[in-house]
Amino acid sequence: MKPNMAKTSQDFSSKRHFHWTKKVGTDDYDHHHHVHDQAPTFKPPANTTEEEKNVNTNTKPFHQASMQTPKKKLPAVAVARLRTVLSTFGKHRSNLPLGLGPRVTGTLFGSKRGHVHFAFQKDPNSPPAFLVELATPISGLVREMASGLVRIALECDKEKEDEKKAVRLLEEPMWRTYCNGKKCGFATRRECGAKEWKVLKAVEPISMGAGVLPGTGDEAEANADGEIMYMRAKFERIVGSRDSEAFYMMNPDSNGTPELSVYLLRV
């Protein structure tokens, strides 16, 4: 009877050992043939000390805590990066000269016996970002444009290093004026008053063209030539530096050559 029990115990031990070997060695085989055997469980040896068990028990929470730490810090890092991007964008946006883009609307206007007013607008219905009054009569400018291309250069002086202020180019108050290389007096920066705004609103629907607006009020009664002459077109704006800008009139009928160009220079 005892030999049989020993044999049975030995067979059971060998079967258990064979089952473990099969599970480890033929894992891929069982996976491809969909064999659903219960995975063996590993039990620590009986002689494992209580200290080693405590170490094994405390290992899993430590790893879980280390894996969860980046997840808690991730939103804070994302918020910090977003703030940096927004602040950088705000600084660059503040350096844009009065919000003018690469395409602007330019308007020349003035009474027949008056001086030329020159206005640049971001949009046809927006207030002018740049408005100057030239000493040149508008009748003389019209004759210059009828004879060919016109180049208007407006120059102002740079301030000394010890007196330098953060003044944008379009905000300079006084300019020397040159028309096709000839000096034509000075140009003065103007605020858009009621009369100037009335003219700009009258030509707002016009994207490109020239014409005459009827004079109204006291100006029409006191002056027979109170009519307002205007020319309006789209201009391409090129920024060379903080001290130089150029505006080229976009005319589809000029074969790519602008009929009117305006240069702003701080020298």
Side-chain angles (χ1 to χ4, degrees):
M1 188 67 182
K2 289 182 179 181
N4 292 335
M5 292 179 61
K7 184 177 181 180
T8 304
S9 176
Q10 184 178 3
D11 293 342
F12 178 76
S13 177
S14 61
K15 288 181 180 180
R16 183 176 59 181
H17 178 72
F18 178 78
H19 178 72
W20 171 262
T21 306
K22 178 181 176 182
K23 190 64 180 178
V24 174
T26 62
D27 185 42
D28 296 336
Y29 177 82
D30 294 343
H31 175 72
H32 292 293
H33 288 74
H34 305 283
V35 178
H36 301 283
D37 292 338
Q38 184 177 1
T41 57
F42 176 76
K43 296 181 180 181
N47 58 353
T48 303
T49 62
E50 292 296 331
E51 183 178 358
E52 292 177 350
K53 290 182 180 180
N54 293 334
V55 171
N56 294 333
T57 305
N58 296 332
T59 303
K60 186 174 181 181
F62 175 78
H63 287 294
Q64 290 180 350
S66 61
M67 293 298 291
Q68 293 176 357
T69 301
K71 293 182 179 180
K72 294 180 180 179
K73 292 183 178 180
L74 184 59
V77 173
V79 171
R81 290 180 179 177
L82 180 60
R83 288 177 179 176
T84 303
V85 172
L86 291 178
S87 62
T88 304
F89 177 77
K91 291 179 181 179
H92 287 292
R93 186 178 180 87
S94 62
N95 292 331
L96 293 177
L98 301 181
L100 288 178
R103 301 287 188 272
V104 299
T105 300
T107 307
L108 282 167
F109 63 93
S111 60
K112 289 185 177 181
R113 294 185 180 180
H115 294 163
V116 178
H117 289 73
F118 209 145
F120 283 124
Q121 299 168 271
K122 180 180 179 181
D123 299 313
N125 56 353
S126 62
F130 180 73
L131 176 61
V132 292
E133 180 182 358
L134 282 66
T136 306
I138 193 169
S139 57
L141 183 61
V142 170
R143 286 194 301 268
E144 287 284 345
M145 295 188 66
S147 61
L149 305 179
V150 177
R151 304 287 185 266
I152 298 176
L154 303 179
E155 292 183 357
C156 63
D157 295 327
K158 284 185 178 181
E159 295 182 352
K160 297 179 180 180
E161 292 296 332
D162 54 348
E163 299 178 356
K164 184 175 293 186
K165 299 179 181 179
V167 178
R168 292 172 175 171
L169 185 62
L170 298 181
E171 295 177 344
E172 290 287 349
M174 187 71 67
W175 304 84
R176 293 184 298 272
T177 307
Y178 298 88
C179 183
N180 287 342
K182 296 180 296 184
K183 190 172 182 179
C184 302
F186 292 88
T188 307
R189 184 174 180 269
R190 298 295 186 189
E191 296 295 333
C192 186
K195 293 182 179 180
E196 291 81 8
W197 186 244
K198 185 176 182 180
V199 174
L200 294 177
K201 293 299 291 183
V203 298
E204 180 180 326
I206 302 171
S207 59
M208 177 176 290
V212 178
L213 298 174
T216 57
D218 297 337
E219 184 180 2
E221 296 177 0
N223 188 1
D225 296 328
E227 296 177 331
I228 303 297
M229 302 177 65
Y230 73 89
M231 189 199 71
R232 189 171 173 89
K234 292 289 185 180
F235 285 76
E236 181 181 5
R237 172 173 164 266
I238 304 297
V239 179
S241 65
R242 66 182 302 271
D243 297 324
S244 63
E245 293 190 25
F247 298 84
Y248 301 98
M249 189 175 73
M250 302 170 61
N251 189 353
D253 299 331
S254 60
N255 297 324
T257 304
E259 297 180 359
L260 174 62
S261 302
V262 181
Y263 303 91
L264 306 182
L265 303 172
R266 186 154 45 191
V267 296

